[in-house]
Amino acid sequence: MQIRKFQEKGIREIIKRKKVLLADDMGCGKTLQAVISFLRIGKFPVAVVVPATLTYNWVDELGKWAPDLTYQVLDNDKFEKAQVYIISYDRLRRGIEKVKTGKSYRYFIGPGSHLDRLSKLVDVVVLDESHYIKSETSLRTKACMHLLEDKSYRMLLTGTPMKNRPLELYPQLKALDATKPFGDYMTFIHRYCDARKVFGRLDASGASNLELLNKTLLSTVMIRRTRSEVLTELPPSKDIFLPMPLSNPSEYRKAEEGFLSWLKQACKADYQLQNSIKDLSAQEQGWLREKYSRETVERARRAEALVRMSRLRRVSANGKMKAYLEWRSNVNDKLITFAFHKEVQYGLIEALPGCARLIARDSPKVRMNNVRAFQEDENYMDIVCSIRVGGEGFTMTAAKTVAFVEFPWTPADVEQAKARAHRLGQVDTVLNYFIYAPGTVDQYLLGVLNKKHNVISSAIDGAGALMDVYKEKLC
């Protein structure tokens, strides 16, 4: 196995800059670059923080690139001498103790916790899938900030630095002690998040000055190369939108009517507030209605609307199952099937006996064994994956066909999932099938994905990356 020229350049930049956001596209070897970097830095021990599902992926990568290093996976209370400590975000955050004092909370580092020990022991820290610290208020982010404090070398790895909006970048910039070129928090959200007051509350969920944001990131802290730029020998990846009929149209329409009826009632409740802005200019009214509508949907999505929309999505996915399985029976290649809801995942596993799987209820070790079986054993023709679990870190280049029977809310999750097959080691054109039912919630989700993708691409890859990747003629 050889290190490629662009990877060698990345390694040199990591060592030179010391605090880096390595945002190479999925499949470009970010883990390899991190391992070789801390090997050359030579300051051990090293702390590697990962999503739990990628724990044993890191064990495999250390075995390939640094077989002589000793390591410990910190998945229990034991703490032994090692050169590399691998710990999940969830395990790390357990080192934060939250104590209520009056109306607020105070946070302490638990003495003797893994977080406490690692903070005192290491000077090199790697955060894999660093978009996991996108929220400044989460215990996960607070734990990582404590671990990173005063550390000489900090490597943040992610192919998707922002999954929805520019605001998600700010905690990662803070983690790298790199906020100065971007300004303090208020400057950042006004410059890059289109921050405005909406009904007395500061809304920073927008996006603005994305070209400037991209240039500043690249000139200061971010290393970013796409697969198309550096893996020129990699075959293309093609998206195909495949319509399929519902086997349960009556059930779906009933669920849709229930959702729309609820939504209509929610809109009526907003009438009085909407009427209060009638004296504003037409432009101001339009902007406020758009913002308020988005705010309302986002708040409701966390509660009743999320439940109702999820039901609609499940009914649609279950309705496509019969047609999808018939289509799958005519595909003679290994196939990766992604689904969002557990009910749909289990339905696929039952319908595809003997398939491999990547789902939430299995341990990281079981997941890794399933990936190996699918990748190496010709008897395993199918692997059913949770979009959340199977979309990060794994290599499944044995397949050249990928299918989404459900869609997530963020384009980053789609791109991560597609990159399981379209990455180093792939020798065939990868076909990504988006299975949708015409006239259903599927079309709405494809529209959401397209809108978000354009914002993210502009900020991370520059204005030239804007394209309507999910905008298909679905009408």
Side-chain angles (χ1 to χ4, degrees):
M1 293 181 289
Q2 290 186 334
I3 299 172
R4 293 167 178 257
K5 287 183 179 179
F6 78 90
Q7 293 170 333
E8 179 62 41
K9 184 178 179 181
I11 293 163
R12 290 199 301 267
E13 282 296 309
I14 289 170
I15 296 170
K16 177 183 175 182
R17 297 189 193 185
K18 295 188 176 182
K19 299 172 184 178
V20 172
L21 174 61
L22 181 59
D24 282 349
D25 211 351
M26 289 75 72
C28 288
K30 293 185 289 295
T31 306
L32 176 161
Q33 293 176 71
V35 172
I36 301 302
S37 293
F38 62 64
L39 268 175
R40 293 184 186 176
I41 291 166
K43 298 183 73 173
F44 296 103
V46 173
V48 179
V49 187
V50 303
T53 191
L54 297 186
T55 303
Y56 288 93
N57 185 66
W58 265 87
V59 170
D60 274 9
E61 290 298 308
L62 286 174
K64 289 178 190 174
W65 299 102
D68 295 330
L69 288 183
T70 60
Y71 68 86
Q72 184 188 4
V73 176
L74 297 175
D75 56 1
N76 53 43
D77 293 333
K78 291 183 180 179
F79 196 96
E80 301 167 352
K81 188 175 181 180
Q83 291 171 295
V84 181
Y85 294 100
I86 305 170
I87 186 168
S88 71
Y89 284 99
D90 287 339
R91 174 70 62 171
L92 187 73
R93 74 175 174 82
R94 295 181 192 179
I96 297 281
E97 295 182 3
K98 184 178 177 181
V99 179
K100 190 168 185 178
T101 55
K103 293 184 178 180
S104 61
Y105 290 92
R106 294 184 66 188
Y107 300 92
F108 302 91
I109 307 303
S113 65
H114 287 332
L115 174 58
D116 183 41
R117 288 176 173 178
L118 290 173
S119 299
K120 296 171 181 175
L121 193 61
V122 307
D123 197 36
V124 180
V125 178
V126 179
L127 300 189
D128 195 9
E129 306 295 352
S130 63
H131 53 267
Y132 271 56
I133 62 165
K134 65 182 181 179
S135 170
E136 282 199 83
T137 59
S138 71
L139 291 180
R140 175 192 295 165
T141 301
K142 291 181 188 297
C144 288
M145 292 297 186
H146 181 79
L147 177 62
L148 289 162
E149 190 174 351
D150 298 326
K151 300 300 180 283
S152 299
Y153 291 90
R154 310 177 195 182
M155 307 177 212
L156 271 59
L157 318 181
T158 174
T160 54
M162 51 182 276
K163 301 191 87 172
N164 291 289
R165 52 187 66 90
L167 182 62
E168 297 167 357
L169 286 168
Y170 199 75
Q172 295 174 78
L173 296 173
K174 281 187 70 175
L176 294 168
D177 195 21
T179 58
K180 189 174 180 180
F182 302 87
D184 61 16
Y185 177 77
M186 294 302 292
T187 301
F188 184 89
I189 65 173
H190 281 92
R191 184 178 294 161
Y192 300 115
C193 305
D194 193 26
R196 305 187 193 187
K197 276 198 172 181
V198 179
F199 303 116
R201 193 176 77 86
L202 193 61
D203 175 21
S205 63
S208 52
N209 298 312
L210 298 180
E211 188 173 352
L212 174 62
L213 176 59
N214 173 254
K215 289 179 179 178
T216 309
L217 284 167
L218 289 172
S219 66
T220 56
V221 72
M222 184 173 76
I223 300 171
R224 169 76 174 175
R225 284 79 57 92
T226 64
R227 293 195 295 273
S228 60
E229 290 171 344
V230 294
L231 301 180
T232 53
E233 79 283 13
L234 197 64
S237 174
K238 297 181 179 179
D239 293 346
I240 301 169
F241 294 82
L242 193 62
M244 289 194 178
L246 293 176
S247 62
N248 58 349
S250 297
E251 182 187 4
Y252 179 82
R253 295 306 166 200
K254 184 177 180 181
E256 186 178 62
E257 286 169 8
F259 176 75
L260 293 175
S261 175
W262 172 84
L263 194 60
K264 187 181 291 185
Q265 292 300 316
C267 289
K268 282 182 180 179
D270 293 335
Y271 174 77
Q272 186 175 0
L273 190 146
Q274 294 287 347
N275 193 46
S276 69
I277 66 173
K278 64 182 180 181
D279 294 329
L280 298 177
S281 69
Q283 185 178 8
E284 289 173 320
Q285 286 187 39
W287 185 85
L288 278 169
R289 284 197 179 99
E290 179 188 350
K291 282 288 187 183
Y292 179 71
S293 177
R294 185 169 69 188
E295 289 270 304
T296 302
V297 170
E298 287 181 349
R299 284 198 304 271
R301 189 187 303 157
R302 297 185 187 101
E304 186 174 359
L306 177 58
V307 174
R308 291 176 180 269
M309 181 71 87
S310 292
R311 168 165 166 69
L312 207 56
R313 293 166 68 194
R314 291 197 306 273
V315 172
S316 174
N318 289 330
K320 292 180 290 186
M321 193 74 73
K322 182 179 178 181
Y324 174 70
L325 291 171
E326 184 178 344
W327 172 82
R328 196 276 169 264
S329 68
N330 293 311
V331 177
N332 297 320
D333 302 311
K334 288 200 173 199
L335 195 148
I336 306 169
T337 304
F338 284 100
F340 189 84
H341 292 96
K342 291 179 182 179
E343 175 187 325
V344 181
Q345 294 161 24
Y346 296 150
L348 286 163
I349 291 167
E350 186 178 345
L352 298 167
C355 68
R357 69 191 200 186
L358 270 175
I359 58 176
R361 78 178 186 186
D362 291 335
S363 69
K365 201 164 190 175
V366 169
R367 294 170 194 167
M368 198 68 219
N369 288 338
N370 270 266
V371 171
R372 287 198 190 104
F374 180 74
Q375 186 76 349
E376 300 170 6
D377 191 336
E378 288 302 318
N379 293 315
Y380 284 86
M381 294 298 289
D382 289 277
I383 185 165
V384 175
C385 300
S386 156
I387 289 174
R388 288 174 176 167
V389 174
E392 293 178 338
F394 297 106
T395 293
M396 293 182 270
T397 50
K400 61 181 180 181
T401 309
V402 179
F404 294 86
V405 296
E406 293 186 281
F407 314 132
W409 286 104
T410 66
D413 288 337
V414 174
E415 296 305 312
Q416 287 270 21
K418 286 159 56 176
R420 298 314 100 212
H422 193 243
R423 61 197 297 112
L424 280 170
Q426 183 57 259
V427 296
D428 296 303
T429 296
V430 175
L431 301 180
N432 306 297
Y433 289 91
F434 292 81
I435 311 300
Y436 76 96
T440 69
V441 67
D442 292 349
Q443 289 182 251
Y444 168 74
L445 281 170
L446 288 171
V448 170
L449 289 170
N450 187 62
K451 185 176 181 180
K452 288 183 177 180
H453 181 275
N454 285 342
V455 171
I456 294 167
S457 292
S458 189
I460 303 303
D461 294 319
L466 280 169
M467 64 180 80
D468 288 340
V469 289
Y470 300 110
K471 191 174 183 180
E472 188 73 359
K473 293 181 180 178
L474 301 174
C475 300

